[in-house]
Amino acid sequence: MATITSDLAGNSQIYDRKSELKNFDESKVGVQGLVENGVTKVPRMFHCEQSNINDLSISESNLKLSIPTIDLTGIHDDPLLRDEVVRKVQNASEKWGFFQVINHGIPTHILDEMIKGTCRFHQQDAKARKEYYTRDLTKKVVYLSNFTLYQDQSADWRDTLAFFWEPHPPKAEELPKVCSDIVSEYSKEVKALGYSLFELLSEALGLNRFHLKEMGGAEKFFLLCHYYPPCPEPELTIGTTKHTDGSFMTILLQDHVGGLQVLHDNQWVDVPPSHGALVVNIGDLLKIVSNDKFTSVQHRVLAKHAGPRISIASLFRAHESEGMPKVIGPIKELLSKENLPIYRDTSLKEFLAHRFTNGIGFSALSTNRL
């Protein structure tokens, strides 16, 4: 749809957003392609409402706030330490929806190499990247810029390389050679950590430790390897629009650049990088099945002059196969006369369709409330 605007001299100009999006998408080189071509002004398709950037901005008081950090030392062999960790996980999941884990068992050199591997892919020759560019999400390896490019009000200053590992992993020959080994190794490590965290979260809900995994919370597992190029005008756009995750749980590895912010008590709080640590956040699906005992909160990534910023989000979600609809709703063991269901049962397909149709900033939670 074309809109009529005026330039500084008052002359009318026609802006065709649809064509700009199409031309950008068909270039198949993402935001990094713009930077490689020497862009000095942020194209209009990336301009977002200033409220998205400036609303509830960081104040001095917010700088004193930080998401909880939880040490996972001893969770597999010391019952007392495990009980203490479960209490901390419960508190963080109820009050913040975000926490950071240390001593999680994944060697630091693997984390570092995963960041380097992501960087290698996004900085390789544009021709090599183009081979993986697609919007066909049935593929196991997908490179694109903005999953909901045509649904969002504005595009984010970010490119993504995605790997869909479960329930059926990609074949070795499908993986990009510049990062294939580390992606396989990191995926194995972070999946094992995810299973351990699901156990802690189950116990934090007062359930059997295997409950969330057995109900299918980790059936689908995928990596989103994000690349945020340096931005010439970060005040006009954003790295990732404020949103909640449509997962059960997300584990995030971020590099040293920073920019991630979490909305807590109506204030944006920085999540500064901590080398060797991983950030964990509760997704909308876990909020639903816990009947609001756990919270999923909005978060965003600011665009920056500095860069690139690299992060790898590992998302765990239920899987819905053809002919076998997956129903998502509050866990029956958590309900009582005093704790009635807040959400209706719904199919996973319907839940995800709402999110995809309405864009990244849309939360499907409101459509599922009773």
Side-chain angles (χ1 to χ4, degrees), residues 17-170:
R17 177 175 171 76
K18 186 175 180 181
S19 292
E20 187 180 17
L21 290 172
K22 187 171 182 288
N23 291 337
F24 169 76
D25 200 28
E26 290 180 352
S27 75
K28 297 187 176 184
V29 289
V31 179
Q32 174 65 359
L34 298 176
V35 173
E36 288 169 341
N37 288 326
V39 68
T40 57
K41 297 286 184 182
V42 170
R44 183 164 170 182
M45 59 176 276
F46 293 96
H47 290 195
C48 65
E49 292 182 13
Q50 285 304 297
S51 61
N52 196 8
I53 303 173
N54 297 329
D55 64 331
L56 311 170
S57 56
I58 295 292
S59 66
E60 285 188 26
S61 60
N62 300 28
L63 293 173
K64 297 176 183 177
L65 292 172
S66 60
I67 66 170
T69 296
I70 301 174
D71 190 337
L72 299 186
T73 300
I75 61 168
H76 298 297
D77 47 36
D78 188 324
L80 292 177
L81 281 176
R82 185 180 181 89
D83 287 345
E84 180 61 24
V85 169
V86 168
R87 282 192 291 272
K88 290 179 179 178
V89 167
Q90 178 185 350
N91 185 66
S93 300
E94 290 177 358
K95 291 182 168 56
W96 280 85
F98 263 80
F99 54 94
Q100 197 161 232
V101 292
I102 58 174
N103 295 316
H104 43 66
I106 303 181
T108 303
H109 72 87
I110 292 180
L111 305 182
D112 293 343
E113 183 55 31
M114 185 62 202
I115 289 171
K116 291 175 185 175
T118 298
C119 190
R120 284 196 299 271
F121 176 86
H122 288 280
Q123 291 184 353
Q124 69 182 326
D125 186 77
K127 184 179 179 182
R129 298 200 308 272
K130 279 185 179 183
E131 292 180 24
Y132 295 92
Y133 198 96
T134 181
R135 293 199 174 272
D136 180 0
L137 299 186
T138 64
K139 293 193 173 183
K140 295 297 180 182
V141 180
V142 171
Y143 166 56
L144 48 63
S145 186
N146 293 253
F147 279 93
T148 49
L149 179 69
Y150 296 97
Q151 291 80 26
D152 295 332
Q153 290 185 345
S154 59
D156 292 345
W157 195 259
R158 181 193 71 251
D159 299 328
T160 302
L161 173 65
F163 298 92
F164 296 93
W165 282 99
E166 299 290 351
H168 307 295

